[in-house]
Amino acid sequence: MDVQWYPGHMAKAKRMMQENIKLIDVIIELVDARIPLSSKNPEIDTLAANKSRVILLNKYDMADPKHNELWKKHFEDKGYYVALVNSKNGQGVKQIKDIVYKACEEKIERNRRRGIINRPVRAMVVGIPNVGKSTFINSFVGRASTKTGNRPGVTKGKQWIRLSNKIELLDTPGILWPKFQDPAAGMRLAFIGSINDNIIQMTELAMELILFLKKHYPESISRRYDIETPEIMEELVDTVTVLDQIAIKRSCLLKGGEPDLDRAALILLDDFRNVRLGNITLEFSQE
Ligand code: G4P
């Protein structure tokens, strides 16, 4: 995410959301399956009051399969329609039309009783930057769709994509702002690379990631870096020692032969972000 968020950005994003949300029946909200809460916008529930809701756990291919199922159930228990999606290769995308339609059934029925029939439900994709909105829209829309253009009663300039005779999608996604106020959420967003790296102390971030991995995925590091002594990942070993080992294993040494922790930190974060440490979920639904 290249944009830095200032109060002005947030206010603008909110205004756009408020304006667009009036036009739609159902919100397709993308969250990152690795951090389903930290990538969720805190105000969406207020903004989306009275709308049908679908939550997509996007990038589920990068997250831990066990936790994907737990998160799906977590949101279903809260009354959302939920699906696991890999927008990049299209897995899980095909079923979304049915899910969206199902989420709107009540509304369609209400319309029918009022004599409004054959009116497509209108949907909009929303999510924080980098969660995969554009990738999802491309995959969802595919080729079998037509733009409907401006029509009377629709705010000028809005483009609707007709997905079937039952569903229309607003062609531009709603951009939500992430949870900046919560430091733990901020850190998780930084782990997955959704916060501009230039404003983060990367070595400290890598140490925080090691702390988490030691607790929940201890084998991920020893396996990736061929560290023969798995004890290195035990709770009592400090995180600098682990980073030291990564530096040594990757021949990141400073002039005097000392391990170069800053380079090792970048390697670790890059490996994590590219799923080379395995499928890892960073927050758990029972927490
Ligand atoms: P945005 O509109 O919400 O800002 O996100 P965008 O679609 O630009 O996606 C951000 C990045 O996430 C892209 O990677 C995209 O390919 C990737 N992505 C989106 N959905 C998925 C998914 O379900 N699984 C995986 N593995 N990746 C996904 P990028 O690094 O910016 O580009 P590229 O490497 O794909 O070229």
Side-chain angles (χ1 to χ4, degrees):
M1 150 185 172
D2 292 314
V3 245
Q4 304 267 359
W5 285 77
Y6 297 108
H9 284 123
M10 252 151 84
K12 187 169 176 226
K14 193 167 170 176
R15 215 165 40 242
M16 290 290 291
M17 282 292 301
Q18 278 165 334
E19 192 188 301
N20 287 335
I21 235 163
K22 284 187 220 144
L23 309 170
I24 59 138
D25 304 299
V26 53
I27 292 186
I28 305 172
E29 181 184 1
L30 265 71
V31 296
D32 190 302
R34 295 166 295 174
I35 51 167
L37 293 185
S38 297
S39 59
K40 213 172 173 320
N41 175 277
E43 284 184 59
I44 186 70
D45 294 336
T46 319
L47 287 168
N50 305 321
K51 303 289 174 185
S52 304
R53 304 284 295 277
V54 174
I55 287 196
L56 304 184
L57 291 157
N58 194 40
K59 307 196 189 186
Y60 87 99
D61 53 298
M62 304 176 96
D64 184 337
K66 181 181 106 193
H67 288 288
N68 284 339
E69 290 308 321
L70 291 171
W71 276 114
K72 183 166 182 283
K73 186 168 179 316
H74 168 94
F75 287 116
E76 279 168 353
D77 288 348
K78 289 191 179 301
Y80 293 100
Y81 287 81
V82 190
L84 299 170
V85 171
N86 172 353
S87 298
K88 206 165 170 173
N89 76 357
Q91 253 165 354
V93 173
K94 228 170 149 185
Q95 46 159 342
I96 304 302
K97 274 185 207 164
D98 284 345
I99 293 176
V100 168
Y101 197 69
K102 221 183 261 165
C104 294
E105 244 161 16
E106 241 174 70
K107 164 119 193 177
I108 294 161
E109 188 45 42
R110 224 177 316 136
N111 278 344
R112 206 193 326 267
R113 281 200 300 268
R114 287 202 212 127
I116 307 168
I117 38 173
N118 296 332
R119 152 112 98 72
V121 292
R122 292 195 183 132
M124 172 184 178
V125 171
V126 306
I128 63 169
N130 207 39
V131 74
K133 297 179 298 297
S134 316
T135 313
F136 171 74
I137 290 177
N138 284 338
S139 175
F140 190 40
V141 168
R143 265 171 281 154
S145 63
T146 49
K147 293 208 172 188
T148 56
N150 297 329
R151 285 189 323 222
V154 175
T155 305
K156 222 175 162 198
K158 305 259 182 269
Q159 285 274 357
W160 296 88
I161 304 166
R162 183 163 276 234
L163 292 169
S164 68
N165 53 6
K166 293 177 179 170
I167 305 172
E168 285 182 3
L169 181 75
L170 192 60
D171 79 338
T172 41
I175 299 173
L176 300 172
W177 54 102
K179 288 180 171 167
F180 296 110
Q181 280 79 359
D182 173 359
M187 197 170 65
R188 290 174 188 138
L189 287 161
F191 285 157
I192 66 165
S194 280
I195 285 182
N196 191 338
D197 282 345
N198 299 327
I199 58 170
I200 302 166
Q201 221 300 332
M202 298 294 272
T203 306
E204 271 174 34
L205 187 67
M207 305 252 236
E208 291 289 347
L209 182 60
I210 292 172
L211 211 57
F212 173 85
L213 294 174
K214 267 163 53 133
K215 192 161 178 207
H216 299 285
Y217 295 91
E219 70 297 349
S220 61
I221 288 188
S222 31
R223 205 191 309 120
R224 172 71 190 162
Y225 303 105
D226 260 336
I227 297 172
E228 286 101 32
T229 45
E231 311 85 77
I232 192 89
M233 291 304 280
E234 276 171 16
E235 295 238 39
L236 291 175
V237 178
D238 70 38
T239 48
V240 179
T241 310
V242 179
L243 207 52
D244 259 347
Q245 283 292 312
I246 297 173
I248 292 164
K249 282 288 179 179
R250 285 293 182 266
S251 310
C252 300
L253 302 175
L254 297 166
K255 278 209 184 94
E258 288 286 298
D260 185 341
L261 299 187
D262 294 339
R263 264 173 67 207
L266 294 181
I267 289 175
L268 176 74
L269 288 166
D270 190 62
D271 282 343
F272 170 75
R273 290 170 182 178
N274 287 290
V275 206
R276 290 188 287 259
L277 298 180
N279 287 59
I280 289 169
T281 297
L282 292 168
E283 60 193 4
F284 307 127
S285 56
Q286 60 271 36
E287 278 180 2

